[in-house]
Amino acid sequence: MAWGYEKSFTVEHDDTVRKKLNCRDCTNYDSSDRSCMKRPFYMPEDGYGQWKNCKYFELDTHTSNYDSKLMQYRDHIRRKQARKVREM
């Protein structure tokens, strides 16, 4: 029960505020049914962090906060490549 609310309240998600990278920012994300068009993932169940291991992830240029998300994506790729070099 929510304190201070007699009947109910509504939680609205504003994607323009979100600055963390996730599967919603991919060009292959289908917002109508919240799934991936390339891989058999349903995001509410499988998680929106699947982009880290996805070989089909492409950052959508029309996403909000594109510059900061692009930097996050490039940092992730750089760390992933550095890990591969260390393992060799």
Side-chain angles (χ1 to χ4, degrees), residues 2-52:
W3 295 98
Y5 295 98
E6 297 297 324
K7 300 279 183 188
S8 65
F9 60 95
T10 303
V11 176
E12 295 180 3
H13 296 283
D14 186 8
D15 286 333
T16 60
V17 178
R18 184 177 46 85
K19 292 187 180 180
K20 285 184 75 177
L21 189 59
N22 65 29
C23 288
R24 289 183 189 147
D25 302 318
C26 182
T27 57
N28 299 316
Y29 177 72
D30 186 9
S31 60
S32 63
D33 64 352
R34 297 182 288 179
S35 67
C36 181
M37 292 187 284
K38 291 280 186 174
R39 298 172 73 194
F41 286 131
Y42 178 59
M43 299 308 161
E45 289 178 8
D46 298 321
Y48 288 91
Q50 298 291 330
W51 69 271
K52 295 176 186 174

Side-chain angles (χ1 to χ4, degrees), residues 65-78:
N65 301 313
Y66 176 75
D67 296 330
S68 65
K69 290 177 182 179
L70 182 62
M71 285 177 37
Q72 288 178 36
Y73 181 63
R74 287 180 178 164
D75 287 342
H76 175 74
I77 295 298
R78 189 172 50 245

Side-chain angles (χ1 to χ4, degrees), residues 53-71:
N53 300 318
C54 183
K55 60 183 175 182
Y56 301 110
F57 183 81
E58 296 177 19
L59 186 61
D60 187 11
T61 57
H62 301 295
T63 188
S64 61
N65 301 313
Y66 176 75
D67 296 330
S68 65
K69 290 177 182 179
L70 182 62
M71 285 177 37

